[in-house]
Amino acid sequence: MSSSFTDRLLGRVRLGGLLGLAAPLLAIVFAGIVTSIVLQLTGNPPLETMKLLLDYGSQPRTIVMIINLATTYYISALAVAIGFRMNLFNIGVDGQYRLAALIAAAVGGALVLPAPLHVGVTILVAVAVGGVWASIAGLLKVTRGVSEVISTIMLNAIATGVGAWLLTTDRLAVAVSGSNNIGTKPIPPSGQFPGFDLIPGTKTPVFGFVIVAVALGLAYHVLFNWTRFGFDLRATGRSESAAVASGVNVKKMVLLTMILSGAAAGLVGMPQLLGASYSYSLDFPTGLGFTGIAIALLGRNNPAGIAIGALLWSFLDNSSDILDLEGIPKEIVIIMQGTIVLSVIVAYELVHRYRLAAEQRRVSRQLSAEASAPVEGAVA
């Protein structure tokens, strides 16, 4: 390989990496500017407000809360990203994880097993329920051509109804002592996923499930970049006709991708269930699936980018608590989050167009050089 060709190749790689990094950074800066303008219009000092968020977010207990919530967000975004890699929009992560957490909590509360086996069975139940529920949308798409966007949205509503039907004292729920709340029978200590003290200055433990989240990110990277299944999945997402021509069974890939996305979605509720609440009750966290969509877009379906997006989102959600105490509307954080998502989509599109234009100019210059070379030789 010639030195000049190597230099050009490395230059394009560096340019692509810088542009990919610039897009989310520009989006965050733009979101900060928009948020500052809104704060100024509402009579709140922008710099002082940002300082409040940073100071509160850097406290030991808040750092632990950020890591714990980011763990949940990360798994949710990975579940969404699996579908995105094949141009499938699994909008049903919210219903999949809630139904999976409910049934897994009921099974975990009813079992009496040794600790590792107890935790493993509970997690497997959640994975199975999430995968089965997502497979309904996959089957509808491959057999009847139903859009997965419509079917997963409707399945969210159905999951909510099924969950409400199951979470009654006549079926899976028991009354929670000292309150009007109801929930599944508490999971005993053998079925709990222990946390650990990572951050000095607080006794609040970091979810032990963060290890599983890291393993999921690594598995996601290996699956999509180093396996035949991942290649077929990405190829199908880019061009179904080309995938068919190369022998890929597109319908099978659609179904498997939806099942895989749902299986990952089934794990979304596990950090909270096995690390904190130990029961699925009426106040179990909701809406995590829709947050995962925003974070997957922000992270560009890359496991490292998703991790950064999850930490940023969790930081904003946890740090916003201080705003209420200072008389500043915490909705300002929602404005910032929405602006970040909108900005990053626009920024990535601009970067994509710039890359295409730069590549076209490069090819044009190369073709011109190759066309002029024989003419110069003939004159010589």
Side-chain angles (χ1 to χ4, degrees):
M1 184 180 292
S2 67
S3 176
S4 60
F5 177 79
T6 302
D7 292 341
R8 291 198 302 270
L9 179 61
L10 291 175
R12 290 199 297 274
V13 171
R14 285 193 293 267
L15 177 62
L18 290 174
L19 289 175
L21 180 63
L25 290 178
L26 288 174
I28 293 172
V29 170
F30 179 73
I33 294 173
V34 172
T35 305
S36 298
I37 294 173
V38 174
L39 284 168
Q40 195 67 50
L41 292 175
T42 56
N44 297 297
L47 292 179
E48 285 79 355
T49 301
M50 297 299 179
K51 187 175 183 301
L52 276 175
L53 292 174
L54 290 173
D55 290 343
Y56 185 75
S58 60
Q59 295 179 9
R61 184 179 183 278
T62 309
I63 292 175
V64 172
M65 300 303 293
I66 290 171
I67 295 173
N68 288 346
L69 186 57
T71 300
T72 303
Y73 284 167
Y74 184 70
I75 299 173
S76 177
L78 282 182
V80 175
I82 290 171
F84 279 172
R85 293 299 293 267
M86 195 177 164
N87 284 335
L88 289 174
F89 294 87
N90 182 8
I91 314 298
V93 169
D94 208 69
Q96 291 155 16
Y97 91 79
R98 285 188 286 118
L99 190 60
L102 170 58
I103 297 177
V107 173
L111 290 177
V112 179
L113 293 170
L117 185 59
H118 197 162
V119 173
V121 169
T122 304
I123 292 175
L124 285 176
V125 169
V127 169
V129 173
V132 168
W133 196 253
S135 71
I136 299 174
L139 287 170
L140 288 173
K141 184 174 182 66
V142 300
T143 59
R144 310 303 299 176
V146 178
S147 169
E148 75 280 2
V149 176
I150 302 299
S151 60
T152 51
I153 289 175
M154 297 305 296
L155 284 168
N156 278 340
I158 296 172
T160 301
V162 171
W165 180 76
L166 290 174
L167 195 63
T168 62
T169 52
D170 295 332
R171 296 178 180 86
L172 300 181
V174 296
V176 178
S177 59
S179 71
N180 294 325
N181 199 2
I182 59 173
T184 58
K185 183 180 177 181
I187 298 174
S190 62
Q192 299 172 8
F193 205 115
F196 32 81
D197 298 328
L198 282 183
I199 308 301
T202 179
K203 295 182 179 180
T204 305
V206 173
F207 285 157
F209 216 82
V210 69
I211 299 174
V212 178
V214 172
L216 283 174
L218 294 174
Y220 174 95
H221 174 75
V222 171
L223 177 67
F224 284 98
N225 296 285
W226 299 97
T227 67
R228 174 60 186 269
F229 175 83
F231 174 81
D232 290 346
L233 189 149
R234 288 184 288 112
T236 306
R238 290 178 179 271
S239 172
E240 287 192 10
S241 58
V244 171
S246 62
V248 177
N249 187 332
V250 172
K251 290 186 176 181
K252 179 182 177 181
M253 292 303 301
V254 168
L255 181 58
L256 289 177
T257 302
M258 285 302 298
I259 293 174
L260 190 61
S261 178
L267 294 172
V268 172
M270 293 301 100
Q272 175 68 26
L273 178 65
L274 301 180
S277 64
Y278 311 122
S279 172
Y280 186 98
S281 56
L282 295 176
D283 57 356
F284 199 81
T286 61
L288 299 175
F290 298 108
T291 303
I293 296 174
I295 295 173
L297 290 172
L298 180 61
R300 201 63 173 177
N301 301 326
N302 180 283
I306 290 173
I308 296 173
L311 287 170
L312 172 63
W313 220 261
S314 181
F315 165 78
L316 292 173
D317 281 343
N318 282 282
S319 298
S320 64
D321 293 339
I322 193 63
L323 298 183
D324 275 342
L325 299 177
E326 299 294 332
I328 301 173
K330 65 185 303 182
E331 287 76 15
I332 195 69
V333 168
I334 299 177
I335 294 174
M336 189 172 188
Q337 290 172 332
T339 307
I340 288 174
V341 174
L342 182 61
S343 302
V344 81
I345 293 173
V346 174
Y348 275 129
E349 180 61 27
L350 292 175
V351 167
H352 176 67
R353 293 185 181 184
Y354 180 82
R355 280 175 174 168
L356 287 179
E359 184 66 16
Q360 289 171 353
R361 290 194 297 269
R362 184 192 65 79
V363 172
S364 178
R365 288 194 299 268
Q366 184 175 351
L367 291 175
S368 298
E370 291 176 355
S372 61
V375 177
E376 293 175 356
V379 174

